[in-house]
Amino acid sequence: MRYAVVGAGAIGGTVGARLARDGHEVLLCDSDTEHVAAINRDGLSIEGPVEQFRVRVPAVTPDELPRDLGVVLLAVKAHHTAAAIEQVEPRLAADGFVVSLQNGLNEGLIAEAVGRDRVVGAFVNFGADVVAPGRILLGNRATFRIGELNGRPSARVAALAAEIDDAEATANVLGYLWSKQAYGAMLFATAVSDLSIADALADDAYHPLFVALAGEMLDAAPVTPEPFDGFDPADLQGSIERLVEFNRRSSKTHSGIYRDLAVRHRKTEGDAILGSVDRPLVRHTLALIHAIEDGRRVCQRANLDLLASYERLGREASRLNAVIAVVDAPDRAVHGPLLGAQIAIKDNTDMAGIVTTNASTVGVPPPAVRDAEVVARLRAAAGDATTGQGRAAITANSSAAWRQLPVSVPTLSQLPDSGNTPVTGTAP
């Protein structure tokens, strides 16, 4: 087979380098001109504990892609799929087809451009990072499955599985991809912190969050999800410990999501992967991802604490009967004396964008335009203005909620000046 790898980063670059090393005809394509130049000058280097080798392989930028492409291994970020397939479609040979090595569920979008019978799905779970132009760290070996979208066996899938290292054919590639959606949601949650994947998963305080988050994604799955590398959709709680061990064995400690946020400071695949599932914890996670992408927050453990609080809120809100509104990723200072504290704001205190209900939902005024001074100062001190169990940005109308707050809130005079002119609102 003739291979063109479109998106020669961590995953595409690793697969392409292995194919080239094994004697197959491979062309790499990437939008990073420095990466392309380094590959053409020095070859592509695979490094790390799994294997180490350097291979000579031609590389081009997207505008240099030739025509008559055979097998296109598509490995661009999920949110770049449309742009990449627009380049690929007119260059695809009559018998050519596209194999998606991507995160997310992009097969439908690809099929719209090239036809469903010219799309093959793939599930890839090994970890790798581009550490410098022309250099990729391969962190581990992991499950790699390739299959037709209709689940039927085919000669091309058999050939791909035979030629690509570690790949095996499957009759349920979409089941693997939906399981990866669930595991991926967990990884997005770890990425809002500065913890490694394994350390975040190992902390008992976050287990209910990870289980609930994965469950929300699996609830949306239209196919039977498949287990892999310790993740079992039928045993989410038991999966946590197994995933900790799986990630401890990898030299890749943090997800690509975290690297996008904290190292490369670029947009993640969040919208493409999480955006289609409208469930509370998925939505809260995506809101925090957006806040970090926009520079309103940084990757820190306090964000993961906040997500865990949203999960507790979901379990306890009906029992407390105290929740008026929930706000995603509340604005606050990045650092301050209240960092990590989730603080309930009583509903007779103004919070910008929230209706000040005064314990009644009858004849309520429009949402507050500005924060009350006490709320502004709490935010300036890096506190997440929240409720229920002392978590999540919401207002509460019950003193019971306040009695359960795990943090001691300073007096107004002890909080840093917000820089705002005081506005209507009483301190809790």
Side-chain angles (χ1 to χ4, degrees):
M1 290 185 174
R2 295 179 296 110
Y3 293 95
V5 180
V6 178
I11 301 302
T14 298
V15 174
R18 284 171 154 181
L19 284 167
R21 176 199 59 188
D22 294 342
H24 299 286
E25 183 181 345
V26 177
L27 174 68
L28 302 181
C29 174
D30 201 87
S31 60
D32 185 335
T33 55
E34 291 186 8
H35 189 48
V36 168
I39 294 171
N40 285 325
R41 183 183 64 247
D42 305 320
L44 180 56
S45 174
I46 303 299
E47 307 168 6
V50 176
E51 55 187 343
Q52 298 186 25
F53 66 92
R54 183 184 298 274
V55 63
R56 289 286 181 179
V57 56
V60 298
T61 54
D63 59 303
E64 298 172 319
L65 263 178
R67 294 192 174 273
D68 198 34
L69 299 176
V71 180
V72 173
L73 302 180
L74 189 63
V76 299
K77 295 285 188 179
H79 52 292
H80 296 150
T81 301
I85 205 66
E86 184 178 354
Q87 296 259 356
V88 167
E89 188 274 332
R91 295 172 168 83
L92 203 57
D95 60 348
F97 59 93
V98 179
V99 184
S100 172
L101 304 181
Q102 303 165 276
N103 294 321
L105 300 164
N106 307 296
E107 289 73 15
L109 182 60
I110 299 168
E112 289 178 7
V114 303
R116 190 172 177 84
D117 61 337
R118 304 177 83 188
V119 181
V120 173
F123 164 86
V124 183
N125 198 46
F126 67 79
D129 285 320
V130 175
V131 293
R135 295 174 52 207
I136 295 173
L137 169 69
L138 176 58
N140 65 344
R141 277 193 146 99
T143 301
F144 195 148
R145 297 288 185 269
I146 300 176
E148 298 287 355
L149 301 185
N150 61 16
R152 297 171 186 162
S154 70
R156 64 184 181 183
V157 165
L160 289 166
E163 293 184 358
I164 299 176
D165 272 11
D166 297 333
E168 297 179 19
T170 178
N172 188 22
V173 70
L174 293 177
Y176 279 102
L177 291 174
W178 269 101
S179 284
K180 191 176 184 181
Q181 288 285 96
Y183 179 42
M186 298 165 66
L187 294 181
F188 270 97
T190 69
V192 303
S193 76
D194 51 3
L195 298 172
S196 70
I197 297 171
D199 286 345
L201 292 174
D203 194 320
D204 292 348
Y206 305 128
H207 287 184
L209 165 66
F210 293 131
V211 169
L213 192 54
E216 286 188 353
M217 295 298 286
L218 291 174
D219 285 345
V223 295
T224 302
E226 296 281 354
F228 65 90
D229 297 329
F231 180 86
D232 186 348
D235 179 24
L236 293 178
Q237 183 61 52
S239 296
I240 302 293
E241 183 176 350
R242 294 189 294 270
L243 289 171
V244 170
E245 292 307 309
F246 171 77
N247 282 283
R248 292 267 189 238
R249 293 193 298 269
S250 176
S251 61
K252 178 180 169 65
T253 59
H254 291 70
S255 68
I257 308 156
Y258 173 84
R259 284 178 57 81
D260 283 342
L261 293 172
V263 179
R264 297 194 168 191
H265 303 289
R266 66 184 185 184
K267 186 174 176 60
T268 70
E269 299 174 295
D271 289 319
I273 294 175
L274 303 180
S276 63
V277 178
D278 187 17
R279 296 294 301 276
L281 289 175
V282 174
R283 187 176 63 249
H284 293 315
T285 302
L286 186 55
L288 282 171
I289 292 291
H290 286 161
I292 299 171
E293 288 175 340
D294 296 343
R296 293 180 285 117
R297 287 182 178 241
V298 297
C299 296
Q300 54 190 185
R301 188 171 188 150
N303 295 324
L304 191 54
D305 290 336
L306 180 59
L307 281 179
S309 301
Y310 284 129
E311 186 280 326
R312 282 196 298 278
L313 175 64
R315 284 188 283 115
E316 299 292 344
S318 60
R319 182 179 67 82
L320 289 173
N321 192 29
V323 179
I324 298 295
V326 180
V327 179
D328 290 316
D331 289 332
R332 60 160 172 80
V334 173
H335 299 289
L338 293 182
L339 180 64
Q342 292 83 36
I343 305 162
I345 303 299
K346 195 149 185 351
D347 68 332
N348 64 354
T349 304
D350 286 349
M351 293 179 67
I354 300 295
V355 172
T356 307
T357 62
N358 293 300
S360 173
T361 57
V362 178
V364 296
V369 176
R370 300 177 60 188
D371 288 333
E373 179 66 11
V374 63
V375 176
R377 290 199 184 191
L378 289 170
R379 297 190 198 275
D384 280 312
T386 65
T387 196
Q389 298 280 344
R391 313 290 190 192
I394 64 178
T395 57
N397 66 357
S398 168
S399 61
W402 290 98
R403 287 195 297 270
Q404 296 184 53
L405 281 173
V407 296
S408 176
V409 181
T411 64
L412 182 60
S413 62
Q414 293 174 313
L415 293 174
D417 191 344
S418 67
N420 290 347
T421 303
V423 295
T424 305
T426 57

